Amino acid sequence: MHRSAPATPEKAHAPAPRIRLARVLACAAVPVMLVAVGCSSDSGGDKKTDSSSSSSSSSASGGAQASSSPSLAPAKFKKLPEACQTIGAGSIDKYVPKAKTKAGEVGKTTDPQAQASCTWNGLDDKGVQGSLYRWLDIDLKRYDSTQGLGTGDSLAQKQFDRAVSAAQSTADAKNVKTSPVPGLGDQATAITFDLKKTDADFKYGVVVVRTANVVLAVDYNGTGYQGADAPQTNEVQEGATVTAKEAVTAVATANNK
């Protein structure tokens, strides 16, 4: 954080939607990990008996189970890119000037191939014109097709809806606006809103995207200190949308290697 940061903005700035979205994504990881353990074996029709008629009956039963539970289509994406490499250095320079850590700060995860996140923040001191604070965060979650739960795409669809709802219901948010983002992933929604914290007016742009079985959420927000103005709504929405597009491309590229 810049030494001249007024009112310790980094402490004052604990982005509500980033926390909420991260929590939603983290909670969503639990069933996937549990399923990975619970579905590691298939018990259909493997029991042995001494009677050939019993064996025949068991085999028929196993066949009936197989026909009633068809295999799910495999998930398209098998892995996630490194979160801090999903957004290019040029975009970080543009949207988070004077980033404290240009390479980004990696979020904690127990399985980087299922869930990953990265955060950038910076305070650009403009002298007598004040200081500009910017925060950019990317969260990614990947779903596998799982018997009993559904395909990777359907599970991602549910998470997409939850993440959009979480951003829309951010506590104390004002002027909440939601709009689709055409041509981005399989579906994408942008949410913008205002939030006042520690006597500073923050502008938020959140873009949630589903690309096949991966859901990603970008949170871009900022404010002005010492007389500087907060960014405009269209600025934060643009920043969130541009970086979300980069992240979608990074997901596809990581799975083409």
Side-chain angles (χ1 to χ4, degrees):
M1 181 59 62
H2 195 286
R3 292 182 180 178
S4 64
T8 58
E10 185 172 5
K11 290 184 178 179
H13 179 52
R18 186 266 179 273
I19 294 172
R20 181 184 287 266
L21 286 169
R23 185 179 297 116
V24 170
L25 289 168
C27 291
V30 175
V32 174
M33 290 187 286
L34 291 177
V35 166
V37 175
C39 298
S40 59
S41 63
D42 185 356
S43 59
D46 283 343
K47 293 184 179 179
K48 296 182 180 179
T49 65
D50 294 331
S51 164
S52 60
S53 62
S54 295
S55 176
S56 219
S57 172
S58 175
S59 196
S61 174
Q65 282 187 329
S67 62
S68 63
S69 301
S71 59
L72 297 174
K76 178 178 181 179
F77 297 124
K78 305 300 181 184
K79 59 183 178 179
L80 291 176
E82 292 185 31
C84 290
Q85 294 181 14
T86 59
I87 299 173
S91 290
I92 300 303
D93 286 339
K94 179 177 180 179
Y95 296 113
V96 193
K98 306 296 183 181
K100 184 174 66 175
T101 305
K102 190 171 180 178
E105 298 177 27
V106 182
K108 293 182 179 179
T109 178
T110 57
D111 184 358
Q113 294 309 318
Q115 182 175 353
S117 64
C118 188
T119 301
W120 298 261
N121 67 86
L123 188 72
D124 187 7
D125 188 350
K126 297 292 187 180
V128 296
Q129 297 179 352
S131 300
L132 306 177
Y133 182 79
R134 297 294 184 268
W135 169 289
L136 177 65
D137 174 86
I138 174 80
D139 279 290
L140 305 101
K141 177 71 185 76
R142 185 184 65 83
Y143 288 86
D144 284 319
S145 295
T146 306
Q147 290 290 350
L149 290 182
T151 64
D153 282 22
S154 66
L155 294 174
Q157 171 69 64
K158 293 176 182 178
Q159 175 54 30
F160 173 86
D161 293 338
R162 287 192 293 264
V164 169
S165 179
Q168 292 172 323
S169 58
T170 299
D172 300 322
K174 298 183 182 303
N175 301 319
V176 180
K177 294 181 181 179
T178 302
S179 59
V181 183
L184 180 54
D186 290 297
Q187 57 188 141
T189 298
I191 306 98
T192 58
F193 55 88
D194 303 336
L195 192 63
K196 190 175 183 65
K197 298 181 300 179
T198 60
D199 296 324
D201 295 315
F202 282 81
K203 293 283 187 178
Y204 281 79
V206 177
V207 172
V208 183
V209 186
R210 181 182 72 82
T211 173
N213 58 308
V214 171
V215 177
L216 63 93
V218 172
D219 173 353
Y220 179 54
N221 63 79
T223 191
Y225 289 102
Q226 296 178 325
D229 294 329
Q232 297 298 309
T233 297
N234 65 317
E235 292 178 58
V236 291
Q237 181 168 349
E238 175 198 301
T241 302
V242 169
T243 51
K245 288 179 178 178
E246 290 187 39
V248 168
T249 299
V251 171
T253 300
N255 284 271
N256 288 332
K257 294 179 179 179

